[in-house]
Amino acid sequence: MTEAPDDRTLVTAAQAGDTAALEQLLRRHYDRIHAVCRRIAGSTRDADDAAQEAMISIVRGLPRFDGRAQFSTWAYRVATNAALDELRRRKRRPALHVVGDDQAQPDPVDPLAERRLSGVADRMSIDAALDELPEEFRAAVVLRDVADLDYAEIAETLGVPVGTVKSRIARGRSQLAALLGNQHGAPQRPTPGTTPGSGTAGPPPPTAPP
């Protein structure tokens, strides 16, 4: 069985104009990009928009990607910024009440993020608690507990020192534990560098723009 090409190979091919390589690269990372957007933005609809913007930014920025960081790290940085931008836009939007929407079902959570944070509390409690965290804490916790990045990768993604990342994660988890009433503390991730699981989240990724 032929092994799937790694990210570096796909990036090189995509930068040379191979649209099939670009499609494979986008599909490989879309699930976790959407999961990051979902947990930061706090809404499936906003996550869809943020993930779409992230994918467009990745395609547009790929010719300038120099490979000094892992592609996944760079992609999660783009996704984090897109989700934070969407979150800020949502806060600026006036609240609208839709008649007959009082009984609407809550947005479903993507399965990957659900597994990452399972055992802490039910989905709605986690969403509500994450909404209460400052943006910098939320982003650090999501990148660790949803994207499974190690501390160095998160530091590179957020552009802050590793010590700051550890502090934000610790404080974010502590606040989550308090908000969730978890006396045993917030979730602890495995040793950095472990291989993440797989899952599906949100709609299928967009095709590459022409």
Side-chain angles (χ1 to χ4, degrees):
M1 181 180 296
T2 304
E3 292 186 2
D6 60 17
D7 284 354
R8 187 177 298 275
T9 300
L10 291 174
V11 166
T12 300
Q15 288 176 327
D18 187 336
T19 56
L22 177 59
E23 291 286 347
Q24 186 174 350
L25 191 65
L26 296 180
R27 289 183 180 279
R28 175 177 293 177
H29 291 278
Y30 182 79
D31 288 348
R32 283 174 58 193
I33 285 174
H34 189 280
V36 167
C37 292
R38 172 67 179 86
R39 285 302 187 182
I40 292 177
S43 161
T44 298
R45 287 183 291 272
D46 289 341
D48 290 347
D49 291 342
Q52 178 79 7
E53 288 300 317
M55 299 301 267
I56 292 172
S57 295
I58 288 169
V59 172
R60 289 176 175 171
L62 194 62
R64 299 186 300 276
F65 176 65
D66 57 17
R68 287 184 293 179
Q70 292 186 40
F71 173 79
S72 59
T73 301
W74 175 68
Y76 296 141
R77 180 188 303 131
V78 173
T80 298
N81 289 335
L84 289 173
D85 286 345
E86 189 64 33
L87 181 63
R88 291 161 189 155
R89 281 193 292 270
R90 186 178 72 204
K91 289 180 177 178
R92 292 194 296 267
R93 291 197 295 263
L96 297 177
H97 177 74
V98 179
V99 176
D101 195 42
D102 294 333
Q103 302 302 318
Q105 295 298 313
D107 289 334
V109 68
D110 67 274
L112 178 61
E114 183 69 20
R115 286 200 300 273
R116 298 293 181 201
L117 294 174
S118 63
V120 184
D122 61 60
R123 172 177 59 84
M124 294 305 294
S125 294
I126 294 171
D127 288 346
L130 281 170
D131 283 343
E132 295 295 321
L133 293 184
E135 290 178 4
E136 64 270 20
F137 293 175
R138 186 190 312 187
V141 169
V142 168
L143 288 173
R144 183 73 186 105
D145 292 340
V146 175
D148 242 350
L149 300 187
D150 63 32
Y151 295 125
E153 290 172 322
I154 298 171
E156 187 171 2
T157 298
L158 298 179
V160 298
V162 170
T164 300
V165 168
K166 292 180 177 179
S167 174
R168 288 181 181 181
I169 291 174
R171 294 174 67 184
R173 285 173 171 169
S174 177
Q175 288 189 24
L176 273 178
L179 289 165
L180 294 169
N182 183 355
Q183 299 302 316
H184 299 289
Q188 298 300 315
R189 300 303 305 150
T191 302
T194 54
T195 301
S198 61
T200 58
T207 57

